[in-house]
Amino acid sequence: MRHVIALDVGGTAMKAALIGSDGALLHQARRATGRERGPDAVVEAILGFAADLRAHGIAHLGESAVAAGVSVPGIVDADHGIAVYAANLGWRDVPLRALLTERLGLPVALGHDVRTGGLAEGRIGAGQGADRFLFVPLGTGIAGAIGIDGRVEAGAHGFAGEIGHIVVRPDGTPCPCGQRGCLERYASASAVSEAWATASGSPDADAADCARAVDAGDPQAHQIWQAAIDALADGLVTALTLLDPRTLIIGGGLAEAGDTLFTPLRTAVQQRITFQKLPTIVPAALGDTAGCLGAGLLAWDLPTIPDLDPTEVSA
């Protein structure tokens, strides 16, 4: 059965799948990155996992994968197949595509984690059918994927979509990027978690706890939540003004709050726009499988897959 290897590398864990030409998940697996052993060990863990996935395909699906797609965090030079930098994994300038190609003997695509997840959401998830979309996951930080006619724009230097570093509160909280008042310092899941942990006096409290407290009518939680939504709306309206997307897809940890997030967010964005067109604002549909599914799409998009009939690929 014709299939590709899809591997989504996170800060602590890797999610992987073998994906058929019709988009079917034929096999799924997870492993730790082993980052506590250092960046070289992480790279070896990725190579070993990919090799094991190829072997599984041969043993259980009757043939080798025809290609592989890999999604990684940090700064990525997708054109040259280089994992440039990832603070969580400790690596710099890793020629990951070349290393995987050598280990697997297959064509390999390398992508940035958020853009790869955005590719999946745009083609087969919440943005399906939209010619222009913006995918914004609200997690430890905030990034974005700019979707244009079925592809995701990387920018001239691979930095397109970094909306978490739009300054929404000038002279505000310092950000590790070197600026002050960046969006992700106010509206990311980690920012809400930190604010609610302080306010509630519970060091282990997180954004999900804050959302539950909002639903329960806690005034402190409501104040923190609304401050995050106001900052998020300010940043999103800047992005909408520049990009004019048809669909705005919100994912990540905060999106799991459902209407507790989306109802006030839609109101806040609508209150801020003037001449701009209000996009459809929807939750992400693919959850934590988006990166893996997107990596599979990257693999199927490779022009070097042998004897591929384009009509086989439904995504």
Side-chain angles (χ1 to χ4, degrees):
M1 182 178 293
R2 185 185 289 270
H3 63 278
V4 296
I5 295 166
L7 187 56
D8 179 24
V9 180
T12 59
M14 300 181 284
K15 296 181 287 289
L18 299 180
I19 301 179
S21 57
D22 60 353
L25 294 170
L26 306 174
H27 171 67
Q28 297 183 72
R30 292 183 181 235
R31 284 187 189 175
T33 60
R35 66 175 183 173
E36 68 280 358
R37 300 193 303 274
D40 291 342
V42 173
V43 172
E44 185 52 42
I46 293 169
L47 298 177
F49 198 9
D52 288 348
L53 289 162
R54 180 177 182 275
H56 183 94
I58 294 171
H60 297 276
L61 300 176
E63 62 178 302
S64 169
V66 294
V70 183
S71 162
V72 298
I75 300 171
V76 180
D77 181 347
D79 289 341
H80 296 96
I82 307 293
V84 178
Y85 175 71
N88 287 342
L89 298 175
W91 64 30
R92 287 183 181 272
D93 297 323
V94 178
L96 198 53
R97 184 174 66 194
L99 293 172
L100 281 162
T101 299
E102 181 180 3
R103 179 70 65 94
L104 299 174
L106 302 173
V108 175
L110 181 68
H112 178 271
D113 56 354
V114 173
R115 288 195 290 272
T116 302
L119 179 67
E121 284 288 352
R123 283 204 202 167
I124 60 177
Q128 191 170 7
D131 57 343
R132 300 288 190 279
F133 70 87
L134 177 62
F135 170 57
V136 181
L138 309 173
T140 303
I142 299 177
I146 303 165
I148 304 172
D149 291 332
R151 64 180 181 83
V152 173
E153 173 60 43
H157 307 96
F159 296 154
E162 291 291 345
I163 71 166
H165 297 289
I166 290 175
V167 174
V168 295
R169 301 291 180 264
D171 299 321
T173 304
C175 180
C177 79
Q179 300 183 121
R180 301 180 71 93
C182 288
L183 175 60
E184 68 177 41
R185 299 302 299 141
Y186 298 90
S188 63
S190 59
V192 174
S193 296
E194 182 180 344
W196 180 237
T198 299
S200 66
S202 176
D204 296 327
D206 61 13
D209 296 321
C210 185
R212 285 189 286 268
V214 170
D215 292 338
D218 186 296
Q220 267 193 313
H222 182 269
Q223 184 178 7
I224 290 168
W225 195 257
Q226 190 61 49
I229 285 171
D230 287 341
L232 180 58
D234 289 341
L236 289 176
V237 168
T238 297
L240 302 182
T241 304
L242 290 171
L243 302 173
D244 188 27
R246 199 172 306 279
T247 303
L248 174 58
I249 306 166
I250 306 294
L254 283 192
E256 295 175 7
D259 288 344
T260 302
L261 174 70
F262 283 92
T263 298
L265 179 61
R266 291 184 181 112
T267 299
V269 172
Q270 189 162 25
Q271 289 172 341
R272 285 162 171 76
I273 62 172
T274 54
F275 66 89
Q276 303 93 336
K277 292 291 186 180
L278 182 67
T280 302
I281 302 176
V282 297
L286 302 176
D288 69 354
T289 66
C292 201
L293 290 169
L297 291 173
L298 288 178
W300 282 119
D301 283 351
L302 283 167
T304 50
I305 294 178
D307 303 319
L308 178 64
D309 179 354
T311 62
E312 290 185 58
V313 184
S314 62

